[in-house]
Coordinates of all heavy atoms in Angstrom, one line a residue:
Q4 N 0.5 40.1 11.0 CA -0.4 39.0 11.2 C 0.0 37.7 10.5 O -0.6 36.7 10.6 CB -1.8 39.4 10.6 CG -2.5 40.5 11.4 CD -2.7 40.2 12.9 OE1 -3.1 39.1 13.2 NE2 -2.3 41.1 13.8
R5 N 1.1 37.8 9.7 CA 1.6 36.6 9.1 C 2.1 35.6 10.1 O 2.7 36.0 11.1 CB 2.7 37.0 8.1 CG 2.3 37.8 6.9 CD 3.5 38.1 6.0 NE 4.5 38.8 6.7 CZ 5.8 38.9 6.3 NH1 6.1 38.4 5.1 NH2 6.7 39.6 7.0
Y6 N 1.9 34.4 9.8 CA 2.4 33.3 10.6 C 1.8 33.2 12.0 O 2.3 32.6 12.9 CB 3.9 33.3 10.8 CG 4.7 33.5 9.4 CD1 5.5 34.6 9.2 CD2 4.5 32.6 8.4 CE1 6.1 34.8 8.0 CE2 5.1 32.8 7.2 CZ 6.0 33.9 7.0 OH 6.6 34.1 5.8
S7 N 0.6 33.8 12.1 CA -0.1 33.7 13.4 C -0.7 32.3 13.6 O -0.8 31.5 12.6 CB -1.3 34.7 13.4 OG -2.3 34.4 12.5
I8 N -1.0 32.0 14.8 CA -1.6 30.7 15.1 C -2.9 30.5 14.3 O -3.2 29.5 13.8 CB -1.8 30.5 16.6 CG1 -0.5 30.4 17.4 CG2 -2.7 29.3 16.9 CD1 -0.6 30.3 18.8
Q9 N -3.7 31.6 14.3 CA -5.0 31.5 13.6 C -4.7 31.3 12.1 O -5.5 30.5 11.5 CB -5.8 32.8 13.7 CG -7.2 32.8 13.2 CD -8.0 31.7 13.8 OE1 -7.9 31.4 15.0 NE2 -8.8 31.0 13.0
E10 N -3.7 31.9 11.5 CA -3.4 31.6 10.1 C -3.0 30.2 9.9 O -3.4 29.5 8.9 CB -2.3 32.6 9.6 CG -2.0 32.4 8.1 CD -0.9 33.3 7.7 OE1 0.2 33.3 8.3 OE2 -1.1 34.1 6.8
F11 N -2.2 29.7 10.8 CA -1.8 28.3 10.7 C -3.0 27.3 10.8 O -3.1 26.4 10.0 CB -0.8 28.0 11.8 CG -0.4 26.5 11.9 CD1 0.6 26.0 11.0 CD2 -0.9 25.7 12.9 CE1 0.9 24.7 11.1 CE2 -0.6 24.4 12.9 CZ 0.4 23.9 12.1
I12 N -3.9 27.6 11.7 CA -5.1 26.7 11.9 C -5.9 26.7 10.6 O -6.3 25.7 10.2 CB -5.9 27.2 13.1 CG1 -5.1 26.9 14.4 CG2 -7.2 26.5 13.1 CD1 -5.8 27.4 15.7
Q13 N -6.1 27.9 10.1 CA -6.9 28.0 8.9 C -6.3 27.3 7.7 O -7.0 26.7 6.9 CB -7.1 29.5 8.5 CG -8.0 30.2 9.5 CD -8.2 31.7 9.1 OE1 -7.4 32.2 8.3 NE2 -9.1 32.4 9.8
A14 N -5.0 27.3 7.6 CA -4.3 26.6 6.5 C -4.2 25.1 6.7 O -4.1 24.4 5.7 CB -2.8 27.2 6.4
T15 N -4.3 24.6 7.9 CA -4.1 23.2 8.1 C -5.3 22.5 8.7 O -5.3 21.2 8.9 CB -2.9 22.9 9.1 OG1 -3.2 23.6 10.4 CG2 -1.6 23.5 8.5
E16 N -6.4 23.2 9.0 CA -7.5 22.6 9.6 C -8.2 21.5 8.8 O -8.3 21.6 7.6 CB -8.6 23.7 9.9 CG -9.8 23.3 10.7 CD -10.8 24.4 10.9 OE1 -10.6 25.5 10.4 OE2 -11.7 24.2 11.7
Q17 N -8.6 20.5 9.5 CA -9.4 19.4 8.8 C -10.6 19.9 8.2 O -11.3 20.8 8.7 CB -9.7 18.3 9.9 CG -10.5 17.1 9.3 CD -12.0 17.3 9.5 OE1 -12.5 18.0 10.4 NE2 -12.8 16.7 8.6
Q18 N -10.9 19.4 7.0 CA -12.1 19.9 6.2 C -12.9 18.6 5.8 O -12.3 17.6 5.3 CB -11.7 20.7 5.0 CG -11.0 22.0 5.4 CD -10.6 22.7 4.1 OE1 -10.9 22.4 3.0 NE2 -9.8 23.8 4.3
D19 N -14.2 18.7 5.9 CA -15.1 17.7 5.4 C -15.3 17.9 3.9 O -15.9 18.9 3.5 CB -16.4 17.7 6.1 CG -16.3 17.1 7.5 OD1 -15.5 16.1 7.7 OD2 -16.9 17.7 8.5
K20 N -14.9 17.0 3.1 CA -15.0 17.2 1.6 C -16.2 16.4 1.0 O -16.5 16.5 -0.1 CB -13.7 16.7 1.0 CG -12.5 17.5 1.4 CD -11.2 17.0 0.8 CE -10.0 17.8 1.3 NZ -8.7 17.3 0.7
G21 N -16.8 15.6 1.9 CA -18.0 14.9 1.4 C -17.7 13.9 0.3 O -18.6 13.7 -0.6
Q22 N -16.6 13.2 0.4 CA -16.2 12.3 -0.7 C -16.5 10.8 -0.4 O -16.2 9.9 -1.1 CB -14.7 12.4 -1.0 CG -14.3 13.8 -1.5 CD -12.8 14.0 -1.7 OE1 -12.0 13.1 -1.2 NE2 -12.4 15.0 -2.3
G23 N -17.1 10.6 0.8 CA -17.5 9.2 1.1 C -16.7 8.6 2.2 O -16.0 9.3 3.0
L24 N -16.6 7.2 2.1 CA -15.9 6.5 3.2 C -14.4 6.9 3.3 O -13.9 7.1 4.3 CB -16.0 5.0 2.9 CG -15.3 4.1 3.9 CD1 -15.8 4.2 5.3 CD2 -15.3 2.6 3.4
F25 N -13.7 6.8 2.1 CA -12.3 7.2 2.1 C -12.2 8.6 1.4 O -12.8 8.8 0.3 CB -11.5 6.2 1.3 CG -11.2 4.9 2.0 CD1 -11.8 4.6 3.2 CD2 -10.4 3.9 1.4 CE1 -11.5 3.4 3.8 CE2 -10.2 2.7 2.0 CZ -10.7 2.4 3.2
E26 N -11.4 9.4 2.0 CA -11.1 10.7 1.3 C -9.7 11.1 1.7 O -9.2 10.9 2.8 CB -12.1 11.8 1.6 CG -12.2 12.3 3.0 CD -13.3 13.4 3.2 OE1 -14.4 13.2 2.8 OE2 -12.9 14.4 3.7
L27 N -9.0 11.8 0.8 CA -7.7 12.3 1.1 C -7.8 13.7 1.8 O -8.1 14.7 1.2 CB -6.9 12.4 -0.2 CG -6.5 11.1 -0.9 CD1 -5.7 11.4 -2.2 CD2 -5.6 10.3 0.1
E28 N -7.5 13.6 3.1 CA -7.5 14.9 3.8 C -6.3 15.8 3.3 O -6.4 17.0 3.2 CB -7.4 14.6 5.3 CG -7.5 15.9 6.2 CD -8.9 16.5 6.0 OE1 -9.9 15.8 5.8 OE2 -8.9 17.8 6.1
T29 N -5.2 15.1 3.1 CA -4.0 15.7 2.5 C -3.5 14.6 1.6 O -3.9 13.4 1.8 CB -3.0 16.2 3.5 OG1 -2.2 15.1 4.0 CG2 -3.6 17.0 4.6
P30 N -2.5 14.8 0.8 CA -1.9 13.7 0.0 C -1.3 12.6 0.8 O -1.1 11.5 0.3 CB -0.8 14.4 -0.8 CG -1.3 15.8 -1.0 CD -2.0 16.1 0.3
R31 N -1.1 12.9 2.1 CA -0.4 11.8 3.0 C -1.3 11.5 4.2 O -0.8 10.8 5.1 CB 1.0 12.3 3.4 CG 1.9 12.3 2.2 CD 3.2 13.1 2.5 NE 4.1 12.9 1.4 CZ 4.0 13.6 0.2 NH1 3.1 14.5 0.0 NH2 4.9 13.4 -0.8
F32 N -2.5 12.0 4.3 CA -3.4 11.6 5.3 C -4.7 11.1 4.7 O -5.3 11.7 3.9 CB -3.8 12.8 6.2 CG -3.0 13.1 7.4 CD1 -2.1 14.1 7.5 CD2 -3.0 12.2 8.5 CE1 -1.3 14.3 8.6 CE2 -2.2 12.4 9.6 CZ -1.4 13.5 9.7
L33 N -5.1 9.8 5.1 CA -6.3 9.3 4.7 C -7.4 9.4 5.8 O -7.1 9.1 6.9 CB -6.2 7.8 4.4 CG -7.5 7.0 4.0 CD1 -7.9 7.5 2.6 CD2 -7.2 5.5 4.0
E34 N -8.5 10.1 5.4 CA -9.6 10.2 6.4 C -10.6 9.1 6.1 O -11.1 8.9 4.9 CB -10.3 11.5 6.3 CG -11.5 11.7 7.2 CD -12.1 13.1 7.1 OE1 -11.6 14.0 7.6 OE2 -13.2 13.1 6.4
V35 N -11.0 8.3 7.1 CA -12.0 7.3 6.9 C -13.2 7.7 7.7 O -13.2 7.9 8.9 CB -11.5 5.9 7.5 CG1 -12.6 4.8 7.3 CG2 -10.2 5.5 6.8
N36 N -14.3 7.9 7.0 CA -15.6 8.3 7.6 C -16.3 7.0 7.9 O -17.1 6.5 7.2 CB -16.4 9.1 6.6 CG -15.8 10.5 6.3 OD1 -15.5 11.3 7.2 ND2 -15.4 10.7 5.1
L37 N -15.9 6.5 9.1 CA -16.3 5.1 9.5 C -17.7 5.0 9.9 O -18.2 5.7 10.8 CB -15.3 4.7 10.6 CG -15.4 3.2 11.0 CD1 -15.0 2.3 9.9 CD2 -14.4 3.0 12.2
E38 N -18.4 4.0 9.3 CA -19.7 3.6 9.8 C -19.8 2.1 9.5 O -20.3 1.6 8.5 CB -20.8 4.3 9.0 CG -21.0 5.8 9.3 CD -21.6 6.0 10.7 OE1 -22.1 5.0 11.3 OE2 -21.4 7.1 11.2
G39 N -19.1 1.4 10.4 CA -19.0 -0.1 10.2 C -17.6 -0.6 10.5 O -17.1 -0.3 11.5
K40 N -17.0 -1.2 9.4 CA -15.7 -1.8 9.6 C -14.8 -1.6 8.4 O -15.3 -1.5 7.3 CB -15.8 -3.3 9.9 CG -16.6 -3.7 11.1 CD -16.7 -5.3 11.2 CE -17.6 -5.7 12.3 NZ -17.8 -7.2 12.4
V41 N -13.5 -1.4 8.7 CA -12.5 -1.4 7.6 C -11.3 -2.1 8.1 O -11.1 -2.2 9.3 CB -12.1 0.1 7.2 CG1 -13.3 0.8 6.6 CG2 -11.5 0.9 8.3
W42 N -10.4 -2.6 7.2 CA -9.2 -3.1 7.5 C -8.1 -2.1 7.2 O -8.1 -1.4 6.2 CB -8.9 -4.4 6.7 CG -9.7 -5.6 7.2 CD1 -10.8 -6.1 6.6 CD2 -9.5 -6.4 8.3 NE1 -11.3 -7.1 7.3 CE2 -10.5 -7.4 8.3 CE3 -8.5 -6.4 9.3 CZ2 -10.5 -8.4 9.3 CZ3 -8.5 -7.4 10.3 CH2 -9.6 -8.4 10.3
A43 N -7.1 -2.0 8.1 CA -6.0 -1.1 8.0 C -4.7 -1.7 8.4 O -4.7 -2.6 9.2 CB -6.3 0.2 8.7
K44 N -3.6 -1.2 7.9 CA -2.3 -1.6 8.3 C -2.1 -1.3 9.8 O -2.3 -0.2 10.2 CB -1.2 -0.9 7.4 CG 0.2 -1.4 7.6 CD 1.1 -0.7 6.6 CE 2.5 -1.3 6.7 NZ 3.4 -0.6 5.7
T45 N -1.6 -2.3 10.5 CA -1.4 -2.1 11.9 C -0.3 -1.0 12.1 O 0.7 -1.0 11.5 CB -0.9 -3.4 12.5 OG1 -1.9 -4.4 12.4 CG2 -0.5 -3.2 14.0
G46 N -0.6 -0.1 13.0 CA 0.3 1.0 13.3 C 0.0 2.2 12.5 O 0.7 3.2 12.7
S47 N -1.0 2.2 11.6 CA -1.2 3.3 10.7 C -2.1 4.4 11.3 O -2.3 5.4 10.7 CB -1.8 2.8 9.4 OG -3.0 2.2 9.5
M48 N -2.8 4.1 12.4 CA -3.7 5.0 13.0 C -2.9 6.2 13.6 O -2.0 6.1 14.4 CB -4.5 4.4 14.2 CG -5.7 5.2 14.7 SD -5.1 6.5 15.9 CE -4.8 5.4 17.4
I49 N -3.3 7.4 13.2 CA -2.7 8.6 13.7 C -3.7 9.4 14.6 O -3.2 9.9 15.7 CB -2.4 9.6 12.5 CG1 -1.4 8.9 11.5 CG2 -1.8 10.9 13.0 CD1 -0.1 8.6 12.1
S50 N -5.0 9.4 14.3 CA -5.9 10.1 15.2 C -7.3 9.5 14.9 O -7.5 9.0 13.8 CB -5.8 11.6 15.0 OG -6.8 12.3 15.8
Y51 N -8.2 9.7 15.8 CA -9.6 9.4 15.5 C -10.5 10.2 16.5 O -10.1 10.7 17.5 CB -9.9 7.9 15.6 CG -9.9 7.4 17.0 CD1 -11.1 7.3 17.7 CD2 -8.7 6.9 17.6 CE1 -11.1 6.7 19.0 CE2 -8.7 6.3 18.8 CZ -9.9 6.3 19.6 OH -9.9 5.8 20.8
R52 N -11.8 10.3 16.1 CA -12.8 10.9 17.0 C -14.1 10.0 16.8 O -14.3 9.5 15.7 CB -13.1 12.3 16.7 CG -13.7 12.6 15.3 CD -14.1 14.1 15.2 NE -12.9 15.0 15.1 CZ -13.0 16.3 15.3 NH1 -14.2 16.9 15.5 NH2 -11.9 17.0 15.2
G53 N -14.8 9.9 17.9 CA -16.0 9.1 17.8 C -15.8 7.8 18.5 O -14.9 7.6 19.3
Q54 N -16.7 6.9 18.3 CA -16.7 5.6 18.9 C -16.0 4.5 18.0 O -16.7 3.9 17.2 CB -18.1 5.1 19.3 CG -18.8 6.1 20.2 CD -18.1 6.3 21.6 OE1 -17.6 5.3 22.2 NE2 -18.0 7.5 22.0
V55 N -14.7 4.4 18.1 CA -14.0 3.5 17.2 C -13.2 2.5 18.0 O -12.5 2.9 19.0 CB -13.0 4.3 16.3 CG1 -12.3 3.4 15.4 CG2 -13.7 5.4 15.5
K56 N -13.3 1.3 17.7 CA -12.6 0.2 18.4 C -11.6 -0.4 17.4 O -11.9 -0.7 16.3 CB -13.6 -0.8 18.9 CG -13.0 -2.0 19.6 CD -14.0 -3.0 20.0 CE -13.4 -4.2 20.7 NZ -14.4 -5.2 21.1
F57 N -10.4 -0.7 17.9 CA -9.4 -1.3 17.1 C -9.1 -2.7 17.6 O -8.9 -3.0 18.8 CB -8.1 -0.5 17.2 CG -8.3 0.9 16.7 CD1 -8.6 1.9 17.5 CD2 -8.2 1.2 15.3 CE1 -8.7 3.2 17.1 CE2 -8.3 2.5 14.9 CZ -8.6 3.5 15.7
T58 N -9.1 -3.7 16.7 CA -8.8 -5.1 17.0 C -7.7 -5.6 16.1 O -7.8 -5.5 14.9 CB -10.1 -5.9 16.8 OG1 -11.2 -5.3 17.5 CG2 -9.9 -7.3 17.3
R59 N -6.7 -6.2 16.7 CA -5.7 -6.8 16.0 C -6.2 -8.0 15.2 O -7.0 -8.7 15.7 CB -4.5 -7.2 16.9 CG -3.2 -7.6 16.1 CD -2.1 -7.9 17.1 NE -0.9 -8.3 16.4 CZ 0.0 -7.5 16.0 NH1 -0.1 -6.2 16.2 NH2 1.1 -7.9 15.4
E60 N -5.7 -8.2 14.0 CA -6.1 -9.3 13.2 C -5.9 -10.6 14.0 O -4.8 -10.9 14.5 CB -5.2 -9.3 11.9 CG -5.5 -10.5 11.0 CD -4.5 -10.5 9.9 OE1 -3.5 -9.7 9.9 OE2 -4.6 -11.3 8.9
G61 N -7.0 -11.4 14.0 CA -6.9 -12.7 14.7 C -6.1 -13.7 14.0 O -6.0 -13.7 12.7
I62 N -5.5 -14.6 14.7 CA -4.6 -15.7 14.0 C -5.4 -16.5 13.0 O -5.0 -16.7 11.9 CB -4.0 -16.6 15.1 CG1 -3.1 -15.8 16.0 CG2 -3.3 -17.8 14.4 CD1 -2.5 -16.7 17.1
L63 N -6.6 -16.8 13.4 CA -7.5 -17.6 12.4 C -8.6 -16.8 11.8 O -9.5 -17.4 11.3 CB -8.0 -18.8 13.2 CG -7.0 -19.8 13.7 CD1 -7.7 -20.9 14.5 CD2 -6.2 -20.4 12.6
E64 N -8.5 -15.5 11.9 CA -9.6 -14.7 11.4 C -9.9 -14.9 9.9 O -11.0 -14.8 9.5 CB -9.3 -13.2 11.7 CG -10.5 -12.3 11.3 CD -10.7 -11.2 12.3 OE1 -9.8 -11.0 13.2 OE2 -11.7 -10.5 12.2
H65 N -8.9 -15.1 9.2 CA -9.1 -15.3 7.7 C -8.8 -16.7 7.2 O -8.6 -16.9 6.1 CB -8.1 -14.3 7.0 CG -8.3 -12.9 7.4 ND1 -9.5 -12.2 7.1 CD2 -7.6 -12.0 8.1 CE1 -9.4 -11.0 7.6 NE2 -8.2 -10.9 8.2
G66 N -8.8 -17.6 8.2 CA -8.6 -19.0 7.8 C -7.2 -19.5 7.9 O -6.2 -18.7 7.9
I67 N -7.1 -20.8 8.1 CA -5.7 -21.4 8.3 C -4.8 -21.3 7.1 O -3.6 -21.1 7.3 CB -5.9 -22.9 8.7 CG1 -4.6 -23.5 9.2 CG2 -6.5 -23.7 7.5 CD1 -4.2 -23.1 10.5
G68 N -5.4 -21.2 5.9 CA -4.6 -21.1 4.7 C -3.8 -19.8 4.7 O -2.6 -19.7 4.4
K69 N -4.5 -18.7 5.0 CA -3.8 -17.4 5.0 C -2.8 -17.3 6.1 O -1.7 -16.7 6.0 CB -4.8 -16.2 5.1 CG -5.6 -16.1 3.8 CD -6.7 -14.9 3.9 CE -7.5 -14.9 2.7 NZ -8.6 -13.8 2.8
M70 N -3.1 -17.8 7.3 CA -2.2 -17.8 8.4 C -0.9 -18.6 8.0 O 0.2 -18.2 8.2 CB -2.8 -18.5 9.6 CG -1.8 -18.5 10.8 SD -2.5 -19.5 12.2 CE -2.2 -21.2 11.5
F71 N -1.1 -19.7 7.3 CA 0.1 -20.6 6.9 C 0.9 -19.8 5.9 O 2.2 -19.8 6.0 CB -0.4 -21.9 6.3 CG 0.6 -22.8 5.8 CD1 1.6 -23.3 6.7 CD2 0.8 -23.1 4.5 CE1 2.6 -24.2 6.3 CE2 1.8 -23.9 4.0 CZ 2.7 -24.5 4.9
K72 N 0.3 -19.1 4.9 CA 1.0 -18.4 3.9 C 1.8 -17.2 4.5 O 2.9 -16.9 4.2 CB 0.1 -17.9 2.8 CG -0.2 -19.1 1.8 CD -1.0 -18.6 0.6 CE -2.4 -18.4 0.9 NZ -3.2 -18.1 -0.3
K73 N 1.2 -16.6 5.5 CA 1.8 -15.4 6.2 C 3.1 -15.9 6.9 O 4.1 -15.3 7.0 CB 0.9 -14.7 7.2 CG -0.2 -13.9 6.5 CD -1.1 -13.2 7.4 CE -0.4 -12.1 8.1 NZ -1.3 -11.2 8.9
A74 N 3.0 -17.1 7.5 CA 4.1 -17.7 8.2 C 5.3 -18.0 7.2 O 6.4 -17.8 7.5 CB 3.7 -18.9 9.0
L75 N 4.9 -18.5 6.1 CA 5.9 -18.8 5.0 C 6.6 -17.6 4.5 O 7.8 -17.6 4.3 CB 5.2 -19.6 3.9 CG 4.9 -21.1 4.1 CD1 4.3 -21.7 2.9 CD2 6.2 -21.8 4.4
T76 N 5.8 -16.5 4.3 CA 6.4 -15.3 3.7 C 7.3 -14.6 4.7 O 8.2 -13.9 4.4 CB 5.4 -14.3 3.2 OG1 4.5 -14.0 4.3 CG2 4.5 -14.9 2.1
G77 N 7.0 -14.8 6.0 CA 7.8 -14.1 7.0 C 7.5 -12.6 7.0 O 8.3 -11.8 7.5

Side-chain angles (χ1 to χ4, degrees):
Q4 295 301 314
R5 292 180 303 167
Y6 311 120
S7 67
I8 290 178
Q9 187 59 36
E10 183 183 54
F11 174 79
I12 292 174
Q13 290 176 350
T15 61
E16 184 179 9
Q17 178 267 332
Q18 299 179 4
D19 288 319
K20 301 178 181 179
Q22 296 176 349
L24 176 65
F25 284 5
E26 66 179 55
L27 290 178
E28 187 62 35
T29 76
R31 290 168 174 79
F32 267 111
L33 177 68
E34 179 181 283
V35 181
N36 295 298
L37 188 63
E38 289 291 342
K40 300 175 183 178
V41 297
W42 287 101
K44 187 175 184 177
T45 299
S47 63
M48 189 278 287
I49 300 298
S50 178
Y51 72 91
R52 65 173 69 193
Q54 301 301 314
V55 182
K56 179 182 178 181
F57 299 94
T58 308
R59 189 177 180 89
E60 177 187 9
I62 294 178
L63 296 177
E64 182 140 14
H65 303 292
I67 190 72
K69 289 180 183 177
M70 181 190 73
F71 179 64
K72 282 187 283 188
K73 288 182 72 170
L75 281 180
T76 58

